[in-house]
Amino acid sequence: MSNKEEKADEKQSSWKDFIYNPRTGEFIGRTASSWGLILLFYLVFYGFLAGMFSLTMWVMLQTLDDHTPKYRDRVANPGLMIRPRSLEIGFNRSIPQQYSKYVQHLESFLQPYNDSLQDGNQICTKGEYFEQGDDVVGEKKACQFKRSFLRQCSGLADSNFGYSEGQPCILVKMNRVIGLRPKGDPRISCAAKVQRETSLQMQYFPDEGILDKSYYPYYGKKLHASYVQPVVAVKLLLTEEDYNSELLIECKVEGSDLINNDERDKFMGRVTFRVNVSK
């Protein structure tokens, strides 16, 4: 028993000496000067790494432009998106609770397009680019795009955007790309993807779904703070045979050099969505 007790005492004593040895003044096997040198080494080492990282980041930031992305090869052609923000729109026209979220999305999206705000922008010449130079001095001016241009889909005369009557409005917009100058006369064209005996009737606002060139080019969020991109409102003129069935609709940008048939990117120059309206 005495041998076992002696061994246990020696083991406990060795652990205590390892943590702090009062004879040598060592803490966890090192003296105070040794710990000081190690801490100094790591302080210098990590300080050097932090300095190198900061210098690298500073050099990289000097190559960037505050107003224009340096690399834009992946967004040369804009994508299309719709509002309300859903690619599957389904509701019963007799139940307001089912379509109220779509109406709210549209109303929220169109707030910057209010006529009172757009009155402060420029009245531009239709069919011509609104060129303002590439200098970065001062804020660029923006062309007016009033929500009243969308007429029956503006939400002004009909606050439900046609949803209560079963003929909903869909807003189609092209994503912003700095410096984009689409050639030709870009316009939005929509059609049902599934073959039908009669074509799906639609009405476009502005007329013919035109995306006028006066809204291009776009100079970026900082320089073009008051800019709003043009949108096309598509009013689906649904008939009795269209209700209670799912409609697959595709909208494309046509009449220009913009790509709308890239199989690798189904949102480049086009967008597909589903609509199911019940009575």
Side-chain angles (χ1 to χ4, degrees):
M1 287 295 291
S2 60
N3 289 337
K4 290 183 178 180
E5 290 176 355
E6 288 176 2
K7 288 181 179 179
D9 291 341
E10 288 177 2
K11 189 175 181 180
Q12 186 176 5
S13 176
S14 64
W15 272 105
K16 288 180 178 179
D17 288 344
F18 172 73
I19 295 173
Y20 178 70
N21 191 327
R23 297 185 299 276
T24 61
E26 293 179 346
F27 176 70
I28 312 181
R30 292 184 180 276
T31 61
S33 59
S34 177
W35 277 115
L37 290 173
I38 288 176
L39 291 175
L40 179 62
F41 168 78
Y42 280 109
L43 181 64
V44 173
F45 176 68
Y46 285 113
F48 174 76
L49 290 181
M52 282 293 294
F53 176 76
S54 301
L55 178 63
T56 304
M57 289 295 295
W58 180 82
V59 171
M60 185 194 71
L61 291 173
Q62 301 313 300
T63 67
L64 301 180
D65 191 309
D66 286 341
H67 306 97
T68 306
K70 186 173 182 179
Y71 300 107
R72 293 181 287 163
D73 55 312
R74 297 189 64 184
V75 290
N77 284 275
L80 289 189
M81 286 301 294
I82 65 168
R83 294 294 183 270
R85 195 190 295 268
S86 175
L87 296 179
E88 293 190 5
I89 299 172
F91 63 94
N92 186 314
R93 69 178 188 179
S94 302
I95 306 177
Q97 292 81 359
Q98 291 190 9
Y99 59 76
S100 61
K101 60 181 179 181
Y102 304 128
V103 172
Q104 290 170 6
H105 286 173
L106 292 173
E107 182 62 37
S108 176
F109 175 75
L110 288 174
Q111 285 303 305
Y113 294 83
N114 282 337
D115 291 17
S116 58
L117 296 176
Q118 289 300 308
D119 282 337
N121 288 339
Q122 299 288 113
I123 299 175
C124 300
T125 304
K126 297 297 182 184
E128 296 180 8
Y129 298 128
F130 188 28
E131 300 281 3
Q132 301 179 68
D134 295 326
D135 61 282
V136 295
V137 180
E139 185 177 321
K140 302 294 184 183
K141 297 177 181 178
C143 294
Q144 288 184 2
F145 193 102
K146 298 180 177 182
R147 67 185 292 177
S148 57
F149 294 172
L150 304 179
R151 290 153 52 192
Q152 292 171 243
C153 288
S154 65
L156 299 175
D158 177 11
S159 60
N160 288 317
F161 296 92
Y163 283 77
S164 59
E165 58 185 22
Q167 296 188 336
C169 290
I170 309 295
L171 303 185
V172 184
K173 72 182 187 74
M174 194 161 62
N175 293 338
R176 302 180 184 186
V177 175
I178 294 176
L180 177 70
R181 294 171 176 82
K183 297 179 180 178
D185 295 304
R187 58 186 175 82
I188 298 297
S189 178
C190 303
K193 290 198 71 174
V194 180
Q195 256 190 334
R196 299 160 45 96
E197 293 182 4
T198 58
S199 60
L200 182 61
Q201 296 299 306
M202 304 178 193
Q203 195 171 6
Y204 297 94
F205 307 102
D207 292 335
E208 299 179 1
I210 294 294
L211 295 168
D212 196 83
K213 289 196 290 188
S214 61
Y215 299 102
Y216 304 97
Y218 171 56
Y219 289 95
K221 190 173 182 179
K222 286 189 175 181
L223 287 177
H224 231 160
S226 59
Y227 176 87
V228 293
Q229 68 260 53
V231 297
V232 170
V234 182
K235 187 174 182 63
L236 304 179
L237 303 177
L238 303 183
T239 60
E240 292 295 324
E241 65 181 76
D242 297 318
Y243 294 132
N244 302 309
S245 62
E246 186 175 81
L247 303 173
L248 185 62
I249 301 171
E250 182 179 60
C251 294
K252 294 183 176 182
V253 56
E254 295 183 342
S256 73
D257 59 338
L258 300 176
I259 298 173
N260 63 9
N261 56 1
D262 189 341
E263 290 303 320
R264 296 172 301 174
D265 189 342
K266 296 187 181 299
F267 289 95
M268 183 180 289
R270 58 180 172 168
V271 62
T272 302
F273 57 95
R274 300 175 188 274
V275 176
N276 191 335
V277 180
S278 55
K279 299 169 62 176

